[in-house]
Amino acid sequence: MPDVSITAARPDQLDAAAAVLAEGFRDDPVMQGFVPRGPRRHARLVDLFAAMMRSIPRARRTVDVAVVDGDVVGAAVWEAPRTRASSPLSLPVSWEELGQLPRYLRALGLVGLVPAARHQATLAAPRPRLPHWYLGEIAVGDAARGLGVGTSLIEHRLAAVDEAGDAAYLESSTERNRALYRRMGFVELGPIRGLPGATPAAMWRPARTAAGSA
């Protein structure tokens, strides 16, 4: 088994992380609703994941990468809990998102922006209001499948989440992945309906006590 290191991504590794995410999500049913199959789909997915990562405010963005021989082979994108409530005067999109608009346009096209925003709102609606870490995306490249890289990525961040006494949340599109998350302490809150061709499950991991129990 090759030596796999898990670290926080450097700025110059974000595009490599986006490429791994694009590879890992090419058959994901939820992602079909954002970027349907067609010409340049891989490049469009890379642009989409790169824009999504950089749209998260830096103070809340954590991208963990799995590296083998200097190459990024896995990536997990997390959002830290909000430290304060949003202002009632805040914009519906962040300045970070506005800065990524050209990349969103390359990924989605002008006609795809509104459906993508609608799909994103559908996914966001069930998220608990309690403070939590949100696992937005996680994927492993084809060359590193079956090496336990995905599990290592999740466990790496959950160790810090547990140390801080925080909860975690994610959406999962497949039963195989949900089984893995259940073993890690996540419970299903219910299906997320309203997405074309997919019904992912909302999953919640309660904050752990000092003794390690929920």
Side-chain angles (χ1 to χ4, degrees):
M1 178 175 177
D3 184 23
V4 181
S5 62
I6 309 292
T7 63
R10 303 187 309 266
D12 65 327
Q13 291 177 313
L14 291 182
D15 285 342
V20 166
L21 291 168
E23 191 172 84
F25 275 87
R26 63 172 172 253
D27 297 321
D28 181 77
V30 172
M31 200 51 58
Q32 295 286 346
F34 285 85
V35 182
R37 295 189 185 278
R40 297 188 61 257
R41 185 167 188 265
H42 177 77
R44 293 172 64 197
L45 284 171
V46 172
D47 275 328
L48 179 60
F49 284 117
M52 291 170 67
M53 280 190 287
R54 290 179 170 90
S55 292
I56 304 169
R58 289 189 181 185
R60 296 181 55 222
R61 180 179 71 204
T62 296
V63 180
D64 293 324
V65 291
V67 178
V68 174
D69 296 330
D71 295 325
V72 174
V73 299
V77 184
W78 295 82
E79 290 182 41
R82 295 181 183 274
T83 55
R84 59 183 177 83
S86 299
S87 165
L89 299 178
S90 60
L91 293 171
V93 295
S94 67
W95 293 114
E96 288 85 356
E97 288 173 308
L98 289 175
Q100 293 302 312
L101 185 56
R103 209 155 192 175
Y104 277 120
L105 283 169
R106 288 202 302 271
L108 303 169
L110 189 59
V111 297
L113 287 177
V114 172
R118 185 166 58 245
H119 299 338
Q120 191 62 39
T122 300
L123 283 170
R127 283 181 61 176
R129 296 184 179 273
L130 294 172
H132 61 272
W133 283 81
Y134 172 54
L135 177 56
E137 296 89 28
I138 181 170
V140 177
D142 291 344
R145 298 278 171 83
L147 301 180
V149 172
T151 299
S152 297
L153 278 166
I154 301 171
E155 290 177 341
H156 173 80
R157 184 53 44 193
L158 287 181
V161 170
D162 288 345
E163 185 175 353
D166 291 331
Y169 175 81
L170 56 81
E171 303 103 7
S172 177
S173 301
T174 69
E175 175 54 35
R176 178 181 179 182
N177 289 341
R178 289 195 284 273
L180 170 64
Y181 296 137
R182 285 193 292 267
R183 291 197 295 272
M184 294 184 171
F186 286 87
V187 295
E188 293 187 39
L189 301 181
I192 303 174
R193 305 192 187 279
L195 294 167
T199 307
M203 303 192 73
W204 175 256
R205 187 175 185 270
R208 301 301 177 95
T209 65
S213 59

